[in-house]
Amino acid sequence: MTSWRTAAVQGSTGLTGASQESEVSAERVEEEDAQPSTSAHVPGHIKEGVSPGVQQAFASMLGDKPEPPSSDEQQEEGEEDGFSYVDDEEDEDYKAEEEQKVRLKMEEMEKRRKRRGKGGRGRRNRKQRELEEEEDVEEDPTVGDVFALEMELNRENKKMMRERRQRSKLPRALRGLMGEANIRYTRGEKEDAILMCMEIIRQAPLAYEPFSTLAMIYEDDEDMDKALQFGLIAAHLNPSDCEEWIRLAEMSLEQDNIRQAIVCYSKAIKYDPTNVRYVWERSSLHMRLGEHRQCMDGYRRILSLLPMEDGEHFMQLSKDMAKYSTHYYYENNDLPSALGVIEEALERHPGLVSDDFINMAAELHIANRQYSKALQVLVQFAGVVLVKDESESGCEEPRQEERVAEETTEEEEKKNEEDTKTEEEMAVKEDCAIQDVHVPDSVPVDLRAKLTVCLIHLHVDTPLEGLVSSLMEQSPEEIGDLYLDVGEAYLEEGKYMAALPLLSALVISEKYNLAVVWLRHAECLKALGHMEAAAQSYTKVVDMAPQHLEARLSLATLQQQLGRPECALKALESMYDSETLAQDSSAAQKELKLLLHRSTLLKTQGQTQDYLDAMITMISMLLKVAMQRAKVCVRSVTVSGVNHLRLAKAILPEIADHEAAYLDNTGKTNVMSKEDWWQLLVSCVLTLCEVRRYEEAELLVESAMEFYSFYDNKPRRKEMECFGLSATILDHNYYKAYNYIRLMLMENVDRPQLWNIFNQLTITSQHQRHHRFCLRLLLKYPDNHALGVLCGHNAMVSGSFKHALGQYVQAFQTHPETPLHSLCVGLTFFHMASQKYVAKRHTLVLQGFSFLWRYVDLRGVCQESMYNLGRALHQIGLTHLAIHYYQTALTLPAQKLEGIPDDQLDLRREIAFNLSLIYQASGNMAMAHQLINTHCVV
């Protein structure tokens, strides 16, 4: 402990002397470089940076013997080396340490030299004269030898200076404090050590030593989080220490931080790229995280690092990689990558290929539809012999060209390569007919099955009968998977009769009585036209795998063809519950496909209510987020003892993130295109209107207007607005209908049809909110004729007769031949004349009559014109004249218009009632009762 404290004090107080000595030594080196010295060198003054071997050789040539250091000095040196953070040639402690090491190395080299000398004297028969000459040279070195040795020393010195480890970034003034912190740590005074390290970090934040010491302190205190963090900082400041990175990776794994452990292993691999263990550990961590591509990249790097003589490990790792990657590559459609691993192993170590390796290679080639290459693997490594027609020429040439083309093709030309392979395989099949196949008895049955599959796909039918017969001689309970492989190969090639015996043997077995086998059996029977048996097989599939969509759809189609609609609908019943559909996207997609087929089947059978249930279920899955924004929900109600779905308003909880919910819902419903969804929505709205469920149709339109994909498409949005307007009018919901027509008018102000609908809605509704809307729109479009007339009507109803008169006169000026305008102007004058305070009442009455007679001229003598004229006279109190026109109107027939019922245009009830009021006022009650009983009794 005393030596540590002394070293620390010297490190803090003896900097000036060390620097001066460094300058003197540097000058000495420059002088020696300029003029080589031939004088004897003392071992204690040998320069730092020269390798100990060269120093020992130089000392032995000069005849010097270094004294071995004492045990106390060795112990002191070892203790100081444990806490030395700086190796600097100007540091006194470091120089003393290096001198100790040099003396030890020189002593060992001297002992080896003596042993070599003794052995040499015992073997005079082996170049004795040369050894004696070498000993003479060692005893008496020349000036040239000394000069050459000194040049070697200079080269070694420069090389060692270049290879020195990274210099510390700890300033000299803080090295003593760093040493004192280490001493406090070893004494157990951890708090003081932590404070000292923090002070060093404050002054020198780029030095790694205090962080490393803090990591050790916190690790002793079992505070692994802080220990790991400080260790990571120290490692980043001194990144070339691979062992430290590995230790930190292990600490990260103890804390279950796999991602950080991967980073640590990557740092270690950066500075030691040939270390197989580091790459292996990192690949294993990538596998744990499910990062398959990074894992396989690491395994490929390991394969590239393994030497050629380590073939067994190479083959085992290649096989493991292929097993691990087969499932991953199947999912990602990247089988060529897995094949690359297998092909490289077969090429590098063909003598170490085993049967299971051959089976794996053939299976991958078959999965990639490279049947010719799979057959080549079996021929090359399994001993299979192909007997070809000798008369055919040029059989080997295409295969050789195919092999060369496959080796030289770039990865970016994979698609063209596959097309080329297909053409070459077709050429091989046409030009090189295989007459027979000889299979050794030692070939396993699974390789025989792979050979059979290849021959089936290559359309080599001659040897197939014997291979399939030998395969079926074995029990399907043991090799049922091989039965299925061969049967599926026959199905792919359309040879259903050949596949049926294999599949029939599997479905009656106990071990392979599986859903997938029954499915292939059903497909084979359906292709052969055995519909009843196929339906039974599909039913078995649905019973064993209720969530198999394709089996359900095929079964429903068969049952419909067999005239069993109830069984077809039963096959299309829901597969999942609501919770599963909300969480599983794949389940939601399958359910949508099932509902689509079910709705089509229900519509063809005329079951409208069930059809609407299926449609509402599908559309509610698409409009889930939109319906929540529109506060519309789907409820189940009982109608005539049967449960059906209904749309209704409800208070629903708010969605936190609408955008995320919309994207999630889009992922579940992307099994159909937007056009298909639009057609479904339109069909559902029209069907709801057909069954007079107008309110639900309006709620569905309202929800669809909240759906981004429909609302952003302007033509579809306009069509939805028309659907909503029609549904609300039919539902007598004029308040919502006004909202739709208002939006339409703002974009199509010149369409008279919309103004007619607007007028009908405002007449029927009991609110007056359309007045201001018309006024604002009139300011924007002052020349619009329909808008001007409607504003005049609104002013008339509100009692603003002058404003109404202005609008009517403007309309009369633009369209003087329209009877309505003359009638409106005349009635406005009568209303103004009927006011209590008016200046020129008679003038207004005369003007009103002039426009009314113009109206009668334009309209003609009819029930309507006579009634309006009598009504005007009745209003101003000229009842004796009003009676005449009322009686005339009663004698005239009602007008008939297409599309309007006759009783709606007949004014006799209104005429009789007004005329009875006149008779009542004059006291003629009998005449009044007669008119009421004649025309106003229902």
Side-chain angles (χ1 to χ4, degrees):
M1 297 300 293
T2 306
S3 61
W4 295 340
R5 189 180 299 110
T6 305
V9 173
Q10 288 177 355
S12 60
T13 59
L15 298 177
T16 305
S19 61
Q20 292 177 356
E21 183 177 350
S22 176
E23 294 175 359
V24 173
S25 61
E27 294 175 359
R28 189 181 300 125
V29 171
E30 293 177 358
E31 292 176 359
E32 290 176 356
D33 289 341
Q35 183 177 358
S37 174
T38 57
S39 60
H41 286 246
V42 180
H45 296 84
I46 294 176
K47 303 175 187 59
E48 179 190 352
V50 181
S51 64
V54 177
Q55 293 178 353
Q56 176 66 27
F58 183 61
S60 62
M61 291 178 64
L62 296 180
D64 294 334
K65 282 189 177 181
E67 296 180 0
S70 62
S71 60
D72 295 337
E73 293 175 346
Q74 290 180 354
Q75 181 180 1
E76 180 180 359
E77 176 189 349
E79 292 171 347
E80 288 185 359
D81 184 68
F83 297 95
S84 176
Y85 285 85
V86 182
D87 295 343
D88 192 89
E89 62 180 353
E90 298 175 357
D91 195 304
E92 294 291 341
D93 299 333
Y94 175 75
K95 292 177 66 178
E97 175 187 341
E98 289 297 322
E99 289 175 359
Q100 294 281 3
K101 292 181 181 179
V102 169
R103 284 198 292 270
L104 290 174
K105 292 291 184 181
M106 291 173 64
E107 183 178 3
E108 292 177 2
M109 293 295 293
E110 181 66 21
K111 290 179 181 179
R112 293 196 195 101
R113 188 183 65 78
K114 289 181 179 180
R115 285 197 297 270
R116 287 199 302 270
K118 291 178 182 179
R121 289 191 294 270
R123 293 189 294 271
R124 292 286 182 178
N125 55 346
R126 297 175 61 185
K127 299 182 181 180
Q128 181 176 2
R129 185 177 301 173
E130 296 179 9
L131 292 174
E132 290 177 354
E133 292 178 357
E134 290 179 2
E135 290 178 359
D136 294 337
V137 169
E138 290 177 358
E139 294 175 356
D140 190 15
T142 63
V143 175
D145 294 336
V146 175
F147 179 77
L149 184 58
E150 191 163 334
M151 295 296 293
E152 182 68 21
L153 288 174
N154 291 332
R155 284 194 296 271
E156 286 285 339
N157 185 29
K158 294 179 181 178
K159 181 179 179 181
M160 291 294 293
M161 292 300 293
R162 285 195 303 268
E163 294 179 356
R164 285 175 61 85
R165 61 181 179 178
Q166 183 180 0
R167 291 177 59 88
S168 172
K169 295 181 181 180
L170 186 66
R172 293 172 182 156
L174 296 176
R175 293 171 187 171
L177 184 58
M178 188 70 249
E180 184 65 23
N182 291 327
I183 292 172
R184 296 294 180 89
Y185 164 56
T186 56
R187 287 178 180 175
E189 301 174 3
K190 297 180 181 179
E191 296 296 333
D192 295 339
I194 291 175
L195 293 176
M196 293 180 181
C197 290
M198 290 298 181
E199 179 62 22
I200 296 173
I201 291 173
R202 186 184 67 81
Q203 299 187 38
L206 297 181
Y208 70 90
E209 294 89 343
F211 293 103
S212 180
T213 302
L214 286 173
M216 290 188 293
I217 293 173
Y218 285 115
E219 188 174 0
D220 289 347
D221 291 341
E222 297 184 356
D223 190 351
M224 303 309 295
D225 290 336
K226 288 188 177 181
L228 180 60
Q229 296 304 320
F230 280 111
L232 288 172
I233 296 174
H236 279 288
L237 294 175
N238 185 27
S240 60
D241 191 352
C242 297
E243 295 298 330
E244 181 66 15
W245 283 115
I246 301 305
R247 189 181 70 86
L248 293 172
E250 294 173 354
M251 292 178 64
S252 300
L253 290 177
E254 291 176 0
Q255 298 184 9
D256 200 23
N257 193 343
I258 301 177
R259 184 67 61 187
Q260 186 168 277
I262 291 175
V263 174
C264 294
Y265 275 114
S266 300
K267 290 288 186 180
I269 293 170
K270 179 181 178 181
Y271 291 95
D272 190 3
T274 60
N275 194 311
V276 176
R277 185 176 71 88
Y278 297 167
V279 183
W280 178 269
E281 294 295 337
R282 187 178 67 174
S283 300
S284 301
L285 295 179
H286 280 303
M287 184 188 299
R288 289 174 60 181
L289 292 178
E291 298 173 349
H292 306 286
R293 189 170 297 279
Q294 292 85 341
C295 176
M296 298 308 299
D297 292 341
Y299 285 157
R300 292 192 192 92
R301 185 170 182 176
I302 293 174
L303 291 179
S304 65
L305 294 175
L306 289 176
M308 287 294 295
E309 56 271 12
D310 199 0
E312 294 182 359
H313 288 88
F314 188 95
M315 297 297 289
Q316 183 62 37
L317 180 58
S318 299
K319 185 167 64 175
D320 294 341
M321 287 177 61
K323 289 180 179 179
Y324 168 72
S325 61
T326 298
H327 176 69
Y328 167 70
Y329 287 132
Y330 275 143
E331 291 181 350
N332 294 272
N333 196 20
D334 195 15
L335 282 174
S337 299
L339 285 170
V341 177
I342 296 296
E343 291 176 351
E344 183 180 1
L346 294 176
E347 183 179 355
R348 289 186 62 175
H349 302 284
L352 300 177
V353 178
S354 59
D355 289 340
D356 55 348
F357 205 93
I358 299 172
N359 184 47
M360 185 180 298
E363 183 176 358
L364 288 175
H365 282 302
I366 291 173
N368 203 31
R369 301 188 180 278
Q370 298 175 347
Y371 307 111
S372 179
K373 294 191 68 175
L375 186 61
Q376 291 178 15
V377 170
L378 294 172
V379 171
Q380 183 177 357
F381 297 101
V384 176
V385 179
L386 302 179
V387 179
K388 302 178 182 178
D389 190 356
E390 297 296 336
S391 62
E392 299 287 341
S393 60
C395 285
E396 285 298 323
E397 254 179 72
R399 292 186 179 274
Q400 183 67 22
E401 293 176 0
E402 176 186 1
R403 185 162 55 251
V404 172
E406 291 170 351
E407 292 176 355
T408 58
T409 304
E410 299 288 340
E411 289 184 357
E412 59 187 3
E413 300 175 356
K414 286 181 180 178
K415 185 175 181 181
N416 296 332
E417 181 184 0
E418 291 175 1
D419 297 337
T420 305
K421 288 180 183 177
T422 305
E423 295 175 359
E424 291 173 351
E425 288 173 2
M426 293 297 295
V428 169
K429 288 184 289 185
E430 294 175 359
D431 299 335
C432 304
I434 299 175
Q435 299 297 326
D436 198 2
V437 176
H438 295 313
V439 184
D441 297 336
S442 60
V443 176
V445 65
D446 50 355
L447 295 183
R448 292 173 180 265
K450 297 295 186 298
L451 175 62
T452 305
V453 171
C454 293
L455 294 178
I456 291 172
H457 286 291
L458 293 175
H459 303 284
V460 181
D461 300 329
T462 305
L464 280 178
E465 183 177 357
L467 291 174
V468 175
S469 300
S470 63
L471 179 68
M472 295 189 67
E473 290 176 358
Q474 304 189 41
S475 173
E477 301 290 345
E478 299 177 357
I479 58 170
D481 55 337
L482 303 182
Y483 272 63
L484 184 59
D485 291 342
V486 176
E488 288 180 339
Y490 275 127
L491 290 178
E492 291 180 7
E493 296 299 329
K495 301 177 181 180
Y496 303 106
M497 288 300 297
L500 187 59
L502 293 167
L503 298 174
S504 299
L506 287 177
V507 296
I508 62 176
S509 64
E510 295 182 0
K511 185 177 179 181
Y512 289 93
N513 184 18
L514 304 176
V516 62
V517 179
W518 279 104
L519 180 62
R520 297 291 180 263
H521 188 253
E523 292 173 352
C524 185
L525 291 173
K526 182 180 178 181
L528 293 174
H530 306 320
M531 297 301 179
E532 187 67 34
Q536 295 177 1
S537 297
Y538 276 121
T539 303
K540 192 73 175 178
V541 175
V542 173
D543 294 339
M544 300 176 71
Q547 298 176 356
H548 197 288
L549 177 63
E550 299 300 330
R552 284 176 173 267
L553 299 180
S554 300
L555 177 59
T557 303
L558 284 177
Q559 297 288 14
Q560 186 75 4
Q561 293 176 358
L562 294 173
R564 304 168 186 166
E566 295 81 6
C567 296
L569 290 176
K570 185 178 180 181
L572 297 176
E573 291 179 350
S574 178
M575 299 185 295
Y576 303 96
D577 55 9
S578 58
E579 294 182 0
T580 305
L581 294 176
Q583 298 175 1
D584 191 352
S585 299
S586 177
Q589 293 176 354
K590 291 182 179 179
E591 189 72 13
L592 278 174
K593 292 180 180 178
L594 188 71
L595 286 171
L596 181 61
H597 286 77
R598 180 178 176 84
S599 63
T600 304
L601 191 60
L602 288 169
K603 190 173 183 179
T604 57
Q605 295 179 6
Q607 302 184 27
T608 307
Q609 296 296 333
D610 293 333
Y611 167 74
L612 285 174
D613 291 345
M615 295 293 289
I616 290 174
T617 303
M618 284 191 294
I619 294 175
S620 64
M621 295 175 66
L622 175 69
L623 305 179
K624 181 179 179 181
V625 181
M627 291 176 71
Q628 286 185 330
R629 283 201 296 268
K631 300 189 183 304
V632 178
C633 69
V634 179
R635 291 178 178 175
S636 177
V637 298
T638 302
V639 180
S640 301
V642 181
N643 290 330
H644 291 289
L645 299 180
R646 293 291 186 269
L647 294 174
K649 276 285 188 179
I651 300 176
L652 302 175
E654 291 291 336
I655 301 177
D657 190 352
H658 286 269
E659 190 68 24
Y662 174 77
L663 293 176
D664 176 67
N665 196 56
T666 303
K668 295 178 181 178
T669 57
N670 58 3
V671 290
M672 291 190 294
S673 64
K674 293 181 179 179
E675 183 63 30
D676 294 336
W677 278 114
W678 172 253
Q679 295 299 330
L680 285 177
L681 179 64
V682 172
S683 176
C684 187
V685 171
L686 295 177
T687 308
L688 286 172
C689 292
E690 289 176 2
V691 296
R692 299 181 180 277
R693 291 163 59 176
Y694 304 118
E695 182 179 0
E696 294 181 60
E698 189 272 326
L699 292 177
L700 186 58
V701 170
E702 185 178 351
S703 301
M705 294 289 285
E706 295 286 344
F707 190 63
Y708 297 141
S709 298
F710 293 157
Y711 187 81
D712 292 342
N713 190 323
K714 189 174 181 180
R716 291 178 179 174
R717 184 172 75 244
K718 297 302 179 186
E719 191 170 353
M720 291 306 301
E721 289 175 355
C722 293
F723 286 144
L725 177 62
S726 302
T728 51
I729 292 176
L730 293 173
D731 193 38
H732 303 291
N733 191 347
Y734 303 114
Y735 187 87
K736 287 188 176 180
Y738 171 78
N739 295 332
Y740 285 110
I741 194 64
R742 179 174 175 271
L743 294 174
M744 295 179 182
L745 283 172
M746 292 175 67
E747 297 183 3
N748 302 278
V749 71
D750 294 325
R751 296 190 64 179
Q753 297 90 340
L754 295 180
W755 285 113
N756 291 334
I757 297 174
F758 180 81
N759 191 33
Q760 291 294 325
L761 291 177
T762 55
I763 291 173
T764 310
S765 62
Q766 301 299 323
H767 53 81
Q768 304 295 326
R769 57 179 178 160
H770 63 282
H771 291 181
R772 292 187 179 181
F773 168 72
C774 292
L775 289 175
R776 287 193 298 267
L777 207 59
L778 184 63
L779 294 176
K780 190 174 181 180
Y781 303 101
D783 297 331
N784 188 279
H785 175 70
L787 183 57
V789 174
L790 284 176
C791 287
H793 293 340
N794 295 334
M796 174 72 75
V797 174
S798 302
S800 301
F801 302 122
K802 292 183 179 181
H803 181 223
L805 182 62
Q807 296 297 330
Y808 289 147
V809 170
Q810 183 178 0
F812 176 78
Q813 291 176 349
T814 56
H815 298 80
E817 301 301 325
T818 303
L820 177 63
H821 300 160
S822 298
L823 174 63
C824 292
V825 174
L827 293 179
T828 304
F829 280 120
F830 278 108
H831 281 291
M832 294 174 65
S834 301
Q835 287 179 325
K836 186 175 182 180
Y837 301 103
V838 60
K840 299 177 181 180
R841 191 184 308 273
H842 299 289
T843 304
L844 295 175
V845 171
L846 290 175
Q847 289 177 341
F849 271 114
S850 64
F851 279 97
L852 280 179
W853 282 114
R854 180 179 177 83
Y855 157 71
V856 172
D857 293 339
L858 294 173
R859 190 77 174 98
V861 177
C862 62
Q863 187 185 66
E864 173 195 330
S865 60
M866 293 296 101
Y867 168 74
N868 288 328
L869 188 57
R871 179 68 184 83
L873 292 170
H874 189 183
Q875 180 177 344
I876 63 175
L878 298 177
T879 56
H880 60 288
L881 297 177
I883 291 174
H884 170 72
Y885 290 105
Y886 279 148
Q887 290 177 349
T888 305
L890 281 175
T891 60
L892 295 174
Q895 190 176 5
K896 294 182 179 181
L897 296 177
E898 184 179 358
I900 300 178
D902 295 340
D903 59 342
Q904 290 188 10
L905 297 177
D906 194 357
L907 299 175
R908 286 178 295 177
R909 290 187 293 270
E910 288 80 1
I911 297 171
F913 180 76
N914 290 346
L915 189 57
S916 67
L917 292 178
I918 297 175
Y919 285 132
Q920 288 180 14
S922 63
N924 193 350
M925 303 301 297
M927 194 64 183
H929 286 298
Q930 181 186 358
L931 289 171
I932 295 296
N933 293 331
T934 303
H935 301 285
C936 299
V937 175
V938 179

